[in-house]
Structure formats: structure tokens, C-alpha cells
Amino acid sequence: MNAGDVAAWIRRAAELVAADADRLTRLDAAIGDGDHGLNMDRGFRAATESLPGDAPPGTVLAAAGRAIVSKTGGASGPLYGTALRRAGKALGDAADVDAAALGDALQAALEGVQELGKAAEGDKTMIDALAPAVAAYAAALADGSDLPGCARAAAGAADEGAEATVPMQARKGRASYLGARSTGHMDPGASSTALILRALSDVVSGEG
Ligand code: ADP
Ligand code: MG
């Protein structure tokens, strides 16, 4: 991936988020405060407007992350902003990102979200989509998959991870205030994380 591909990822993520904003908001209305679609749409729209023209991939991701932090309300803004900034930092100044480097960047994003949000797998948060996605990416890489193959594996695992949040009881974030009543609904942040990984897979597979 070069800087143009990374910018295309952010634009594709913004498209998928905009298309699904109402669904994300309905998910958040069920177990939160009904603003997740709006937050994500605002944040990723700002990210697409922040994309630097002539900069390496890591700088593109970091700029998107800063835009998301500054424009997104709610818990998700700082969490997604941190994810993108950490991923960008992991890529450094390299002009090209290979499959291994992208895997390291996704791992750094996961660690950043966990440090900030202190959620573990099973707490019914975006971690339940991101952690299995990062693991599936690494497993595909170890099996010799190319970057599109790794990204497809990550996107599939994120979808499954988001689906698996339905029966979970939330232990972090606003949904945790509902206690047992948070079960039976998909976590909105896990669902939006699955969209962002789908966007990556689309772009590197030439389907964006
Ligand atoms: P808010 O909850 O402040 O209204 P959003 O609705 O935009 O913010 O985002 C809610 C999502 O944020 C949740 O569905 C969950 O996935 C994620 N989230 C909340 N708290 C945490 C946390 N501590 N760690 C990881 N993700 C979290
Ligand atoms: Mg909310």
C-alpha cells in the first residue's frame, strides 16, 4: 500500500460509515445514547477532509486520527483517533506498506485502544471486533497470505466478532450502565470497527 491506498481506505471507511450511520445509531439507541452513527459520520468525514496530499502512509493515518479526535464526540472519538494515530506511528516514514507492516500497525492500533479504554475481549466493545481481526490478520500472514488475503481475513473476523457481541453483557462504556439489559443487541462500536476493516479489505482487493 502506498499513501494513495491509505487515503482510499479512509475515504472508503467514510463511505461505509455514512451508508450505515442510521443502523449504527439504532444500535446505540438500544444500549447507549443513540449518537454513534452521527459521531462516526462526523469523524470520518473530517478525516477525509484532513488527508494530506504529499505525505507517507503513516502521516496520512496520523492526520486522519487527529481529525477524528478533534471532531468526534463520545467515547468512540478518542478511541478511534488513538487507533489511527498509533497505526500511523507504527508505519513511520516508510513510503510503502507491506503486509507485515500493516499487521504491525493494526496490532499497535489495538494496543492503543486497550491502553486508553481498558476493555478486554468479552466486554462488548469495539475490542471484540478489533482483537479477532488483528489475530486473523496475523494468522493469515503466518500462513503466507498476501496483503489482500490478510485484510479479507481481518474483515471476516471483525464481522464475526461484532456478531458475537449480541449475547454479551457490556462491562465498559455507556452500555454497561444497562447491566443485563445490554444483552441481545450488537455493540455499535464493534459494528463500526467491522466497517472500517471491510473498507480496508475492499480497497486492497480493488473492490472499493
Ligand atoms: P458514547 O458511548 O460516548 O455515546 P459512541 O456512541 O460514539 O460514544 O461509542 C460507543 C462505542 O464505543 C461502544 O459501542 C463501544 O464499542 C465503544 N467503547 C465505549 N467504551 C469503550 C472502552 N472503554 N473501550 C473500548 N471501546 C469502548
Ligand atoms: Mg453513544
Side-chain angles (χ1 to χ4, degrees):
M1 290 178 92
N2 59 26
D5 300 321
V6 172
W9 173 20
I10 300 297
R11 282 195 294 271
R12 179 69 176 155
E15 257 172 44
L16 295 185
V17 162
D20 254 6
D22 288 347
R23 187 180 59 81
L24 294 174
T25 284
R26 278 197 302 277
L27 292 176
D28 196 34
I31 60 170
D33 58 354
D35 63 355
H36 190 61
L38 184 72
N39 287 340
M40 293 298 293
D41 190 33
R42 188 183 291 146
F44 274 81
R45 204 179 289 269
T48 61
E49 286 160 9
S50 79
L51 296 172
D54 186 22
T59 305
V60 173
L61 283 184
R66 279 197 303 277
I68 286 173
V69 172
S70 69
K71 289 284 157 52
T72 313
S76 58
L79 292 164
Y80 277 121
T82 296
L84 289 174
R85 285 159 58 185
R86 289 290 189 92
K89 196 171 169 198
L91 295 180
D93 292 332
D96 265 295
V97 178
D98 64 12
L102 183 60
D104 290 345
L106 292 173
Q107 174 69 38
L110 171 63
E111 287 169 9
V113 173
Q114 283 180 314
E115 270 172 39
L116 183 62
K118 312 267 185 262
E121 278 182 81
D123 286 347
K124 195 177 180 107
T125 71
M126 60 178 72
I127 294 293
D128 291 308
L130 187 54
V134 170
Y137 188 105
L141 186 67
D143 278 351
S145 290
D146 59 4
L147 198 156
C150 293
R152 274 195 299 275
D159 280 337
E160 285 171 23
E163 204 57 57
T165 64
V166 173
M168 291 177 187
Q169 177 170 334
R171 287 193 291 252
K172 281 283 183 297
R174 211 178 274 281
S176 65
Y177 308 157
L178 290 182
R181 283 183 294 134
S182 63
T183 60
H185 305 276
M186 190 184 295
D187 177 64
S191 188
S192 58
T193 292
L195 292 179
I196 292 162
L197 289 159
R198 176 67 51 200
L200 174 65
S201 171
D202 284 355
V203 163
V204 297
S205 307
E207 289 161 17

